[in-house]
C-alpha cells in the first residue's frame, strides 16, 4: 500500500464548521456540527464529489482531523492531481455530547444504538445541511437526486465508524456508491457479527445489494485494517464470507478489477493515525 508522508503544500483546503439540528438521544432537537473540508479553490459554480468520514467510539467531529494527517493527505493528493478534488465531511454519530461520555472501555449495545440511530440523521439532517450549502452532484435534496448522484457520494469510518459504514451500506446503498469501512466489522446481526456470525452477516449485506437489483458493478468497497488491529480478527472472516458472493462482492487485489478490496497494513494497531493511510492509498479509486 501507499503510505502517506507529510509534505508541505502550496494550496490548502479549508475546514468549515456546519451547524445543524438533529434529534438528541431523547428525540429532542439539538444543535450539533460537522467539520467540512473544502478543497483549495472550491468553486460554488462547480459540482464536487463528497466523502463522509466518521469517527470511532468515544470520538467526535474533530477526531479524524485531530488524530491523523488526513487533511494534508487530501491537500497533497489534490495538488498532485492523483485524485480529483472532493468535499469531505466529518460528522459525529453521537446523540449526546461525546466528551461527557465514554473515554475508555466499550458498551457495545450503547455504541451500536448510536450508530444505528445515526442512519436517519445522516439522510434527514446531515445531507441536507451539507449538500444544501455546498455544491455536490445532487441537483437538489430530493431522494431522486441523491440516488442519481450516488456514484459521487462515498461513506467511510474508523472502528465504530466502520460499523456505521456497514450500516450505511445496509440502509443507504441507493444514495452512496463507495464505502470505506476501516478497522470495524458489521454489527447488524450482532456486536462483532463479522467474526461471530460471518455467514449471516455476509448474507444480509448481499441481500441489501440484491434488493436494489444491483450487482458488483454498482458499488465499491474499499476496506482496510492492520494486522495488529483489534478489528483484524473480526473483519477478516467477514470479508472472507462476503467473497463467497462473487457476483456481488468481487474481491480482488488488483485495483483495476473487482469492486471489493481489502488491504492489511503490516504492524498497524487500532488507531486513526494508522487507518488514514488506507484512505491515502485508496484516494485515486474512491470516485472515478
Ligand atoms: C471491531 C473492533 C473494535 C469493531 C469496533 C471496535 C465495529 C471498537 C472498539 C472501541 O471502540 O474501543 O471489530 O467493529
Amino acid at each position: 500500500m501507499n503510505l502517506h508522508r507529510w509534505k508541505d503544500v502550496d494550496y490548502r483546503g479549508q475546514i468549515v464548521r456546519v451547524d445543524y439540528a438533529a434529534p438528541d438521544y431523547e428525540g429532542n432537537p439539538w444543535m450539533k456540527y460537522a467539520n467540512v473540508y473544502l478543497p483549495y479553490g472550491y468553486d460554488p459554480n462547480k459540482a464536487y464529489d463528497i466523502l463522509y468520514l466518521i469517527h470511532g467510539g468515544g470520538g467526535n467531529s474533530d477526531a479524524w482531523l485531530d488524530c491523523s494527517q488526513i487533511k494534508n493527505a487530501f491537500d497533497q493528493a489534490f495538488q498532485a492531481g492523483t485524485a480529483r478534488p472532493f468535499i469531505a465531511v466529518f460528522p459525529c454519530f453521537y446523540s449526546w455530547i461525546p466528551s461527557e461520555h465514554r473515554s475508555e472501555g466499550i458498551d457495545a449495545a450503547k455504541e451500536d444504538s448510536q450508530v444505528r440511530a445515526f442512519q436517519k440523521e445522516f439522510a434527514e439532517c446531515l445531507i441536507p445541511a451539507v449538500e444544501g450549502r455546498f455544491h455536490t452532484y445532487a441537483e437538489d435534496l430530493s431522494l431522486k437526486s441523491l440516488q442519481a448522484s450516488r456514484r459521487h457520494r462515498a461513506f467511510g469510518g474508523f472502528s465504530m465508524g466502520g460499523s456505521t459504514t456497514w450500516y450505511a451500506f445496509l440502509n443507504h446503498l441507493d444514495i452512496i456508491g463507495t464505502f470505506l469501512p476501516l478497522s470495524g466489522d458489521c454489527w447488524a446481526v450482532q456486536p462483532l457479527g463479522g467474526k461471530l456470525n460471518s455467514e449471516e452477516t455476509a448474507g444480509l449485506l448481499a441481500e441489501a445489494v440484491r434488493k436494489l437489483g444491483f450487482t458488483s458493478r454498482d458499488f465499491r468497497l474499499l476496506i482496510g485494517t492492520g494486522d495488529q488491529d483489534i478489528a483484524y480478527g473480526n473483519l477478516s472472516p467477514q470479508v472472507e464470507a462476503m467473497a463467497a458472493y462473487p457476483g456481488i462482492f468481487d474481491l480482488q487485489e488488483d485495483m483495476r478489477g473487482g469492486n471489493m478490496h481489502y488491504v492489511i497494513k503490516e504492524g498497524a494497531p487500532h488507531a486513526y493515525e494508522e487507518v488514514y493511510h488506507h484512505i491515502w492509498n485508496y484516494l485515486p479509486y474512491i470516485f472515478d
Side-chain angles (χ1 to χ4, degrees):
M1 71 183 294
N2 279 314
L3 296 184
H4 170 260
R5 294 276 173 263
W6 181 85
K7 220 168 73 183
D8 196 12
V9 289
D10 296 326
Y11 308 108
R12 289 168 207 285
Q14 194 187 337
I15 305 294
V16 178
R17 181 176 162 137
V18 171
D19 294 290
Y20 65 102
D24 71 3
Y25 60 99
E26 287 175 321
N28 300 313
W30 69 308
M31 291 306 287
K32 60 194 292 193
Y33 68 92
N35 285 308
V36 177
Y37 169 93
L38 297 177
Y40 175 83
Y42 169 77
D43 176 355
N45 295 310
K46 287 190 197 152
Y48 288 84
D49 296 325
I50 186 162
L51 166 66
Y52 291 87
L53 203 51
I54 195 132
H55 61 87
N60 56 35
S61 305
D62 295 289
W64 272 103
L65 292 160
D66 285 354
C67 303
S68 81
Q69 297 190 59
I70 191 71
K71 181 177 181 295
N72 183 259
F74 291 157
D75 286 342
Q76 268 193 57
F78 299 157
Q79 181 170 308
T82 49
R84 211 169 48 243
F86 58 71
I87 297 169
V89 185
F90 301 91
C92 173
F93 64 61
Y94 287 108
S95 61
W96 56 60
I97 298 169
S99 62
E100 290 178 1
H101 291 265
R102 142 147 212 255
S103 55
E104 59 190 69
I106 181 167
D107 179 338
K110 207 164 173 182
E111 295 287 319
D112 188 53
S113 75
Q114 291 289 290
V115 300
R116 277 179 196 262
F118 179 74
Q119 299 304 318
K120 193 163 148 54
E121 171 182 329
F122 170 64
E124 294 179 9
C125 312
L126 180 63
I127 288 184
V130 175
E131 300 195 38
R133 177 159 162 194
F134 302 111
H135 193 172
T136 63
Y137 282 87
E139 274 184 22
D140 54 50
L141 296 172
S142 67
L143 181 59
K144 202 165 156 246
S145 293
L146 295 174
Q147 288 170 338
S149 55
R150 62 182 289 279
R151 298 310 286 245
H152 299 282
R153 192 171 296 104
F155 195 108
F158 165 56
S159 190
M160 286 315 301
S163 152
T164 316
T165 307
W166 292 112
Y167 278 116
F169 187 89
L170 292 169
N171 290 283
H172 300 300
L173 181 59
D174 63 329
I175 58 169
I176 300 169
T178 300
F179 299 82
L180 297 101
L182 305 171
S183 293
D185 60 313
C186 177
W187 287 16
V189 173
Q190 65 183 98
L192 301 178
K195 170 179 157 177
L196 300 178
N197 208 332
S198 318
E199 262 81 59
E200 204 179 318
T201 298
L204 194 66
L205 293 163
E207 190 47 39
V209 179
R210 279 202 207 101
K211 206 173 62 191
L212 293 173
F214 285 180
T215 70
S216 63
R217 282 190 299 278
D218 295 301
F219 65 93
R220 211 169 291 173
L221 268 165
L222 309 177
I223 311 168
T225 191
D227 63 4
Q228 301 302 308
D229 193 305
I230 48 169
Y232 175 51
N234 308 326
L235 198 46
S236 292
Q238 180 188 322
V239 169
E240 199 177 311
M242 290 168 72
Y245 300 83
I248 293 176
F249 304 117
D250 184 6
L251 178 64
Q252 292 198 26
E253 220 169 287
D254 188 340
M255 292 305 297
R256 289 167 301 185
N259 72 328
M260 177 158 89
H261 304 274
Y262 183 39
V263 175
I264 298 154
K265 185 172 184 283
E266 244 175 81
H270 196 68
Y272 292 94
E273 50 269 52
E274 294 292 352
V275 295
Y276 92 98
H277 289 278
H278 289 287
I279 299 175
W280 167 254
N281 182 58
Y282 282 136
L283 270 176
Y285 310 101
I286 299 176
F287 309 100
D288 57 18

